[in-house]
Amino acid sequence: MSNLYCAMALSLVLSACGAPAPISPVGTAPPPTNEPEPEPEPTANWVPPELWGASTLEDLDDDPNVVEVRLTAAPIWIDLTDEIGFEGYGYNGRWPGPTLQAKVGDEVVVHFENQLPEPTTVHWHGLRIPDAMDGSPRIQAPVQPGETYTYRFVVPEAGTFWYHPHVRSNEQIEKGLYGTFVVREPDHPKLDAERVFVLDDILANGSGLPPFLASHPEQVHGRSGNVLLVNGRVAPPRFNVEKNRVELWRIVNTANARTMMLTLEGATFAVIGTDGGRLQEPYYPDRIELPVGQRYDLLVVYDRPGPVRLLSHVFVVDENEEVVRRPYELAVVEVAESDYVGGPIRWPAVTPRSARSVDREVVVELSGANTPNGIEWTINGRRFPEEPIFTFNENETVHLTITNLAGPEHPFHLHGQFFEVLDEAQPGLKDTVLVPGLETVEIVAYFDNPGRWMAHCHILEHAELGMMSEIVVEPR
Ligand code: C2O
Ligand code: CU
């Protein structure tokens, strides 16, 4: 029922949106462009490659192995379309926040300032860093309005990660607080381009954002939006390329609830990386199911001239009142004929993971109940912030059988660790896995990072309504 509700809202408002107008956040981020930027000054330091689709946080430090940045969360005015404008939140006046770019082993120092009218923290989604720096409000006292906090950690591995608040995240992320965090190997190869596609959908109307968690469907399914966004702007961005160019696309789903079903038409692509970094072997799916929280790195080869379209296949209600998937454009690329021949791309080797035997097996039950106070969501019968659901030992390998006892799906997310899904169609290390309604998913998790870690549903409304727990990993 509420799926229909969201789907109808999407089809209605997408067609009612009219011509997309660029967002003009207070910080005046320029819209992403396809124009070549001037060559950077030659320098002995490692310089991250240009990243299309996002601004980069300026490194204030001269040390080549330290990335020191300032990050300020504050309200910003967002003009989404001619009709839709509202006060949202931004990092450094931008929506999405600027990208943090670092290389493996760098020390990252983030001077964070909270100029919001409410407390917040910053969580570095996917990074296996010490728990004290993870932004968990159970460990770190939330940063109060007007206060500052310095996050300091070493980035342990390469991949596409993201950052966002971990306090009232269903509101703070929806209002615009999220950004990508790209970590590269020092010998990361040069590609013809690297692009980020931060996918989101927001629920907006003429007067802005409707109240949070107010409707029953929103409590049941999470908040699905009516406007699809790529890099903070109404989709689709358009750009031009030449045939034979090879690019790396980093795709992140930062929506509150919407699982995206993606296809890429008109070019050849391979999945080369997942949440936990590069795969040993690329694979070539027809479509990609991208639940909220997850990331995919694609190698895209423009092997023919003509249009290339990144599509999201969204549930809508058709003329016969049937629920069908309908494609919406997330990005449109025009590929021009050319005799360009690029050089070979030499990726650093991926160290094969040694096989590990399972030390322990546990069951995780995701459930929900209707109560006089509305819907309550639980993990193993508990609601945040009760006691931890498990205590493991550092370096334990744990088989988790995750069963969804209710109808709505749950993208289950583990902080501070990676796992593998026991499903050939989902290779690679992950920190988030989709558990469809009334189904069971098996994962093998590597609890190599000691500390107190949140484990929760990444549908932010579910997390807020209780589906958020903690797992303790005791140091050896
Ligand atoms: Cu991206 Cu605990 O979250
Ligand atoms: Cu959920």
Side-chain angles (χ1 to χ4, degrees):
M1 164 61 213
S2 51
N3 256 340
L4 302 195
Y5 160 82
C6 307
M8 279 196 301
L10 182 77
S11 61
L12 290 178
V13 181
L14 278 181
S15 52
C17 277
I23 295 175
S24 47
V26 170
T28 58
T33 80
N34 201 29
E35 311 245 309
E37 303 231 340
E39 280 291 315
E41 291 289 308
T43 159
N45 286 354
W46 180 86
V47 179
E50 272 159 36
L51 196 57
W52 173 94
S55 56
T56 293
L57 270 169
E58 188 198 349
D59 183 358
L60 307 168
D61 187 281
D62 283 340
D63 187 327
N65 300 315
V66 177
V67 176
E68 186 169 5
V69 298
R70 258 177 229 297
L71 191 68
T72 301
I76 55 171
W77 185 262
I78 293 165
D79 283 315
L80 201 57
T81 67
D82 289 345
E83 291 99 33
I84 302 172
F86 56 91
E87 186 177 272
Y89 288 166
Y91 286 119
N92 293 8
R94 288 164 191 255
W95 190 44
T99 301
L100 242 155
Q101 302 205 62
K103 62 183 188 318
V104 176
D106 279 354
E107 182 181 18
V108 171
V109 183
V110 180
H111 301 286
F112 175 69
E113 184 177 339
N114 181 9
Q115 291 180 3
L116 303 172
E118 58 176 318
T120 192
T121 62
V122 189
H123 166 54
W124 314 97
H125 181 127
L127 286 169
R128 299 194 298 174
I129 57 176
D131 62 356
M133 293 290 122
D134 192 50
S136 161
R138 285 186 75 143
I139 297 181
Q140 174 199 354
V143 186
Q144 297 300 315
E147 303 209 322
T148 61
Y149 187 84
T150 300
Y151 293 93
R152 189 183 290 269
F153 49 83
V154 172
V155 284
E157 54 241 325
T160 303
F161 306 100
W162 61 298
Y163 63 93
H164 63 74
H166 227 291
V167 176
R168 304 208 314 157
S169 47
N170 65 310
E171 296 189 26
Q172 295 190 2
I173 295 180
E174 175 82 349
K175 286 181 171 179
L177 290 181
Y178 53 79
T180 37
F181 194 142
V182 171
V183 185
R184 297 184 181 84
E185 290 132 321
D187 45 357
H188 180 81
K190 180 154 171 44
L191 293 125
D192 292 318
E194 280 192 38
R195 304 180 191 270
V196 287
F197 295 86
V198 182
L199 310 184
D200 194 2
D201 71 338
I202 63 158
L203 185 60
N205 55 33
S207 54
L209 306 178
F212 290 90
L213 281 175
S215 78
H216 184 76
E218 184 165 319
Q219 295 185 7
V220 172
H221 292 277
R223 185 173 175 114
S224 277
N226 54 7
V227 186
L228 286 172
L229 302 176
V230 175
N231 300 333
R233 291 170 178 81
V234 176
R238 296 170 189 276
F239 53 92
N240 300 311
V241 299
E242 289 181 315
K243 195 182 131 193
N244 296 335
R245 300 264 165 180
V246 179
E247 301 186 343
L248 176 56
W249 288 18
R250 302 173 183 269
I251 305 182
V252 188
N253 185 354
T254 65
N256 281 32
R258 182 187 296 280
T259 298
M260 309 260 182
M261 183 63 83
L262 307 177
T263 58
L264 180 61
E265 296 174 357
T268 299
F269 73 97
V271 173
I272 63 164
T274 55
D275 299 349
R278 212 141 46 78
L279 298 166
Q280 270 161 66
E281 292 290 337
Y283 69 103
Y284 302 85
D286 297 335
R287 52 187 202 163
I288 294 174
E289 183 178 64
L290 181 65
V292 289
Q294 274 193 355
R295 289 84 66 208
Y296 278 97
D297 290 353
L298 310 186
L299 197 69
V300 178
V301 181
Y302 301 109
D303 48 6
R304 66 212 99 138
V308 171
R309 300 189 308 157
L310 178 66
L311 300 172
S312 173
H313 300 263
V314 175
F315 286 117
V316 293
V317 183
D318 71 3
E319 309 71 48
N320 309 318
E321 305 274 294
E322 311 253 322
V323 180
V324 294
R325 282 191 187 272
R326 185 158 293 161
Y328 285 90
E329 289 173 337
L330 289 180
V332 179
V333 190
E334 192 52 45
V335 183
E337 197 44 275
S338 104
D339 347 322
Y340 173 81
V341 186
I345 299 169
R346 281 185 236 290
W347 294 95
V350 179
T351 324
R353 284 190 302 284
S354 42
R356 287 166 59 162
S357 53
V358 170
D359 300 306
R360 227 197 262 221
E361 297 192 22
V362 299
V363 170
V364 176
E365 284 181 348
L366 308 176
S367 190
N370 238 318
T371 78
N373 302 324
I375 304 277
E376 292 188 347
W377 291 103
T378 57
I379 300 182
N380 285 4
R382 294 185 191 169
R383 299 182 70 218
F384 192 77
E386 292 175 7
E387 289 304 293
I389 49 168
F390 300 116
T391 300
F392 301 132
N393 294 314
E394 185 179 350
N395 299 131
E396 260 187 326
T397 301
V398 181
H399 179 153
L400 295 93
T401 301
I402 310 171
T403 297
N404 182 350
L405 299 173
E409 62 186 19
H410 299 292
F412 181 76
H413 170 49
L414 201 54
H415 283 213
Q417 330 286 334
F418 292 136
F419 54 77
E420 287 179 271
V421 185
L422 300 183
D423 170 7
E424 276 173 15
Q426 300 183 65
L429 292 172
K430 310 260 184 187
D431 55 49
T432 307
V433 62
L434 188 67
V435 189
L438 302 173
E439 287 190 25
T440 292
V441 165
E442 321 237 5
I443 65 173
V444 172
Y446 307 111
F447 287 94
D448 294 343
N449 193 8
R452 292 167 55 196
W453 301 104
M454 302 187 102
H456 64 90
C457 178
H458 219 289
I459 290 183
L460 303 169
E461 292 70 23
H462 292 176
E464 213 51 37
L465 294 174
M467 194 171 259
M468 185 148 58
S469 58
E470 193 177 63
I471 292 177
V472 174
V473 182
E474 298 277 7
R476 288 237 188 233

